[in-house]
């Protein structure tokens, strides 16, 4: 009898200990979800473009293709200076325009005489691409390239097979000579009176992936990153990372709204990239100046703050250097972002939620949204018992003496984008009405508030919402 009692007690203790140590499994992802390369790209948030080439020396935006290579002669080109500017701007990926629409190539290509090889720069022995990628790696920055499909110089342009072979040959050069390339840009721009040309995009994409398996391909239609539909750096107030790629066509202007908002029923994960230039033009022009700080911050909130990556162009001048005024403005921009987001008034808050997956020891508690780790998240029960209130998470601030005027919400997008509609309450008053969240959603309030209790109420979502972060910040640059 004593042995039986002892056995029962040991068994009970074992089951109690096992139940306490047993981990709760994560919820199932909701497809589509990002690849490793797409997720890494999304978390960069701001990257930099360098438009530099023949147009820099002819004071134009779209060259004719008839320019003499003798015009290209930057007297003081220093790509290390470009990378120092990128480091000061806090970016981790830089993209160079290797060939624009005029067809002039910044590397000594074997397939045309319209390149740096035939210019006076460094007596025809220079290679801007090599300088660019070498400088990027020396500064711990990843490199990307832009190769224009429209080529106004190449004589085979308009002959379908011959030009597609020419373009593929140049793709092969730039993707095999210069090491790892993290992003490649396929621009759909083409003049209204341009020669008709059928591009073999699928063959191009297949070649790119064959040569650089971890690369992200950008175009109007992805496959990895899509254009946002404008060149103002502004995504839609509703912005899904998902689209149906079968609906997309490169160069089709009628699809700009679809590109801008994405598709809640999309079957493909193709997040948007917001491209904009720091100056009015994409190439450097002596009479142009950089956008103001308030303009850049507005762009940031409408791009990064709407589930996008911001690609900001900073064009080197005709001497081959980034202008000091542009460097200063980018540095100020970076410092402003750090000023706003380096302090999170949500830290130290008490947290609670409508429910949590696995109970209090399941690992998916509400406190995950303030732990500073994008890989952890709050997960409610599959069917939330919120008494008709839906899914909600609440922060109770310990310090109500510091105001905030920015609310930051982030989803665990590695598990799919889910949220369709939500509201944010401050002490019971609705301060925000929103639709999509994605990687990051930023809301600037009309005025600073000192509220104690902040509740995020998810009114509609694709399955249970998974929040990785909720933050509260003060933007001293916000007017009003």
């Amino acid at each position: 009898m004593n042995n039986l009692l002892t056995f029962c007690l040991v068994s009970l203790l074992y089951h109690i200990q096992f139940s306490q140590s047993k981990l709760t499994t994560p919820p199932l992802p909701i497809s589509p979800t990002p690849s490793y390369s797409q997720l890494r790209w999304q978390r960069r948030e701001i990257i930099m473009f360098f438009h530099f080439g023949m147009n820099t020396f002819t004071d134009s935006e779209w060259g004719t293709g008839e320019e003499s290579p003798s015009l290209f002669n930057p007297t003081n080109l220093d790509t290390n200076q470009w990378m120092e500017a990128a480091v000061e701007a806090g970016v981790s990926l830089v993209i160079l325009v290797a060939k624009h629409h005029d067809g002039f190539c910044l590397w000594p290509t074997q397939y045309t005489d319209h390149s740096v090889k035939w210019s006076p720069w460094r007596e025809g022995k220079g290679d801007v691409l090599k300088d660019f990628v070498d400088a990027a790696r020396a500064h711990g920055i990843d490199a990307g390239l832009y190769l224009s499909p429209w080529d106004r110089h190449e004589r085979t342009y308009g002959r379908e097979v011959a030009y597609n072979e020419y373009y593929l040959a140049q793709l092969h050069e730039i993707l095999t000579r210069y090491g790892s390339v993290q992003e490649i840009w396929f621009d759909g721009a083409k003049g209204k009176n341009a020669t008709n040309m059928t591009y073999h995009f699928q063959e191009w994409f297949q070649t790119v992936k064959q040569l650089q398996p971890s690369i992200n391909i950008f175009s109007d239609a992805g496959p990895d990153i899509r254009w946002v539909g404008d060149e103002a750096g502004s995504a839609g107030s509703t912005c899904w990372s998902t689209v149906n790629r079968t609906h997309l066509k490169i160069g089709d202007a009628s699809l700009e709204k679809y590109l801008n908002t994405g598709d809640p029923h999309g079957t493909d994960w193709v997040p948007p990239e917001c491209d904009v230039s720091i100056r009015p033009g994409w190439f450097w022009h002596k009479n142009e100046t950089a956008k103001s700080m308030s303009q850049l911050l507005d762009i940031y909130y409408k791009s990064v703050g709407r589930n996008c990556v911001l690609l900001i162009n900073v064009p080197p001048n005709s001497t081959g250097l980034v202008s000091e005024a542009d460097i200063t403005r980018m540095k100020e921009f970076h410092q402003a972002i750090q000023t706003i987001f380096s302090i999170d008034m949500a830290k130290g808050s008490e947290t609670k939620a409508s429910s949590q997956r696995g109970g209090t020891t399941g690992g998916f508690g509400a406190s995950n949204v303030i732990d500073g780790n994008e890989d952890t998240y709050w997960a409610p029960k599959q069917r939330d018992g919120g008494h008709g209130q839906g899914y909600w998470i609440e922060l109770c601030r310990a310090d109500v003496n510091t105001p905030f005027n920015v609310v930051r919400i982030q989803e665990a997008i590695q598990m799919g984008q889910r949220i369709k509609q939500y509201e944010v309450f401050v002490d019971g008053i609705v301060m925000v009405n929103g639709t999509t969240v994605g990687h990051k959603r930023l809301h600037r309030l009309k005025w600073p508030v000192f509220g104690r209790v902040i509740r995020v109420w998810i009114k509609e979502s694709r399955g249970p919402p998974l929040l990785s972060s909720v933050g509260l910040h003060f933007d001293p640059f916000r007017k009003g």
Side-chain angles (χ1 to χ4, degrees):
M1 185 69 180
N2 288 336
N3 289 339
L4 179 61
L5 180 61
T6 301
F7 174 77
C8 290
L9 287 171
V10 170
S11 297
L12 179 61
L13 289 170
Y14 169 79
H15 284 295
I16 291 173
Q17 185 180 25
F18 178 75
S19 65
Q20 290 176 338
S21 62
K22 182 181 177 182
L23 290 176
T24 300
T25 57
L28 287 172
I30 293 181
S31 295
T33 57
S35 68
Y36 169 81
S37 296
Q38 288 173 319
L39 186 60
R40 183 172 180 238
W41 168 87
Q42 185 86 60
R43 290 177 175 177
R44 295 180 191 273
E45 297 194 350
I46 300 178
I47 59 181
M48 192 179 285
F49 226 167
F50 290 100
H51 275 65
F52 182 68
M54 187 59 72
N55 293 339
T56 309
F57 299 88
T58 60
D59 197 28
S60 61
E61 286 291 302
W62 281 9
T64 65
E66 298 177 0
E67 299 87 355
S68 169
S70 64
L71 296 174
F72 184 85
N73 192 21
T75 56
N76 197 27
L77 189 143
D78 183 0
T79 51
N80 282 297
Q81 188 249 11
W82 303 5
M83 299 309 151
E84 289 165 7
V87 169
E88 290 191 338
V91 306
S92 60
L93 171 64
V94 291
I95 301 175
L96 174 68
V97 174
K99 181 187 77 168
H100 204 248
H101 311 324
D102 53 75
F104 185 78
C105 300
L106 295 186
W107 77 101
T109 176
Q110 295 176 311
Y111 298 100
T112 180
D113 58 4
H114 204 49
S115 79
V116 291
K117 186 177 181 178
W118 301 92
S119 76
W121 177 63
R122 295 183 184 171
E123 298 180 343
K125 297 177 182 178
D127 186 337
V128 181
L129 262 65
K130 185 178 188 306
D131 288 357
F132 181 80
V133 297
D134 287 351
R137 292 191 187 101
H139 287 79
I141 300 174
D142 291 323
L145 298 172
Y146 166 121
L147 192 69
S148 172
W150 184 31
D151 190 322
R152 304 185 76 180
H153 175 83
E154 174 54 34
R155 60 182 178 79
T156 63
Y157 191 86
R159 293 160 49 194
E160 183 175 337
V161 173
Y163 182 72
N164 277 280
E165 289 177 343
Y166 171 79
Y167 191 91
L168 271 174
Q170 291 198 321
L171 265 183
H172 195 275
E173 282 185 325
I174 67 173
L175 295 179
T176 58
R177 290 184 182 181
Y178 301 99
S180 175
V181 177
Q182 294 298 308
E183 182 173 339
I184 188 162
W185 248 69
F186 291 98
D187 190 348
K190 186 165 66 173
K192 292 181 180 179
N193 298 319
T195 303
N196 288 330
M197 181 70 221
T198 299
Y199 303 130
H200 290 195
F201 281 112
Q202 291 310 310
E203 286 85 348
W204 296 359
F205 295 166
Q206 289 167 9
T207 297
V208 168
K209 291 292 188 178
Q210 182 187 81
L211 299 175
Q212 298 270 354
S214 64
I215 201 170
N216 282 318
I217 299 174
F218 169 99
S219 79
D220 293 355
D224 302 308
I225 304 166
R226 76 177 192 263
W227 183 44
V228 77
D230 62 53
E231 293 184 344
S234 180
S237 57
T238 295
C239 187
W240 290 92
S241 292
T242 51
V243 292
N244 282 320
R245 287 197 61 220
T246 55
H247 295 176
L248 300 180
K249 183 180 179 182
I250 297 173
D252 187 346
S254 68
L255 297 171
E256 289 178 3
K257 188 176 187 303
Y258 186 76
L259 292 167
N260 200 243
T261 62
D263 189 341
H265 307 293
T267 56
D268 304 291
W269 187 275
V270 190
E273 186 170 273
C274 292
D275 58 317
V276 67
S277 185
I278 194 172
R279 291 162 170 251
W282 289 95
F283 287 88
W284 177 83
H285 305 289
K286 185 178 181 179
N287 62 342
E288 292 183 351
T289 57
K291 290 178 171 61
S292 69
M293 175 60 66
S294 62
Q295 287 177 299
L296 292 179
L297 280 176
D298 186 62
I299 289 168
Y300 178 83
Y301 281 107
K302 291 178 179 177
S303 56
V304 176
R306 291 181 178 176
N307 187 39
C308 294
V309 168
L310 172 59
L311 173 59
I312 187 162
N313 177 62
V314 184
N317 60 34
S318 57
T319 70
L321 299 173
V322 177
S323 298
E324 287 299 327
D326 293 355
I327 293 175
T328 299
R329 183 54 46 82
M330 284 298 295
K331 186 176 181 180
E332 290 171 348
F333 177 44
H334 177 56
Q335 289 173 340
I337 293 169
Q338 288 185 311
T339 296
I340 298 166
F341 296 102
S342 61
I343 298 175
D344 184 359
M345 279 71 140
K347 293 292 184 184
S349 298
E350 292 184 12
T351 59
K352 64 178 182 178
S354 50
S355 69
Q356 66 185 61
R357 183 180 178 86
T360 56
T361 60
F364 297 99
S367 62
N368 286 348
V369 303
I370 59 171
D371 68 359
N373 185 350
E374 290 185 338
D375 293 321
T376 63
Y377 50 89
W378 163 62
K381 294 178 180 177
Q382 184 71 23
R383 295 184 180 274
D384 202 295
H387 305 293
Q389 298 181 55
Y391 301 101
W392 56 266
I393 188 167
E394 196 171 87
L395 310 179
C396 183
R397 293 206 301 157
D399 178 13
V400 294
N401 295 317
T402 52
F404 62 90
N405 58 2
V406 177
V407 177
R408 173 176 53 83
I409 308 173
Q410 296 184 239
E411 285 188 82
I413 60 168
Q414 64 270 28
M415 306 295 285
Q417 189 177 353
R418 300 170 179 236
I419 297 174
K420 293 183 176 182
Q421 191 175 8
Y422 62 95
E423 292 181 349
V424 179
F425 295 78
V426 178
D427 290 342
I429 300 172
V430 177
M431 301 297 289
V432 169
N433 282 285
T435 52
T436 51
V437 174
H439 168 66
K440 181 173 286 186
R441 186 60 192 263
L442 301 174
H443 290 283
R444 283 186 290 182
L445 307 182
K446 291 182 179 179
W447 54 79
V449 296
F450 292 83
R452 180 180 294 277
V453 179
I454 292 84
R455 173 178 285 202
V456 181
W457 175 34
I458 293 93
K459 300 171 69 174
E460 187 179 0
S461 63
R462 301 167 63 236
L466 306 178
L467 291 185
S468 64
S469 187
V470 177
L472 307 171
H473 308 275
F474 181 72
D475 181 350
F477 309 98
R478 172 73 161 144
K479 295 180 180 179

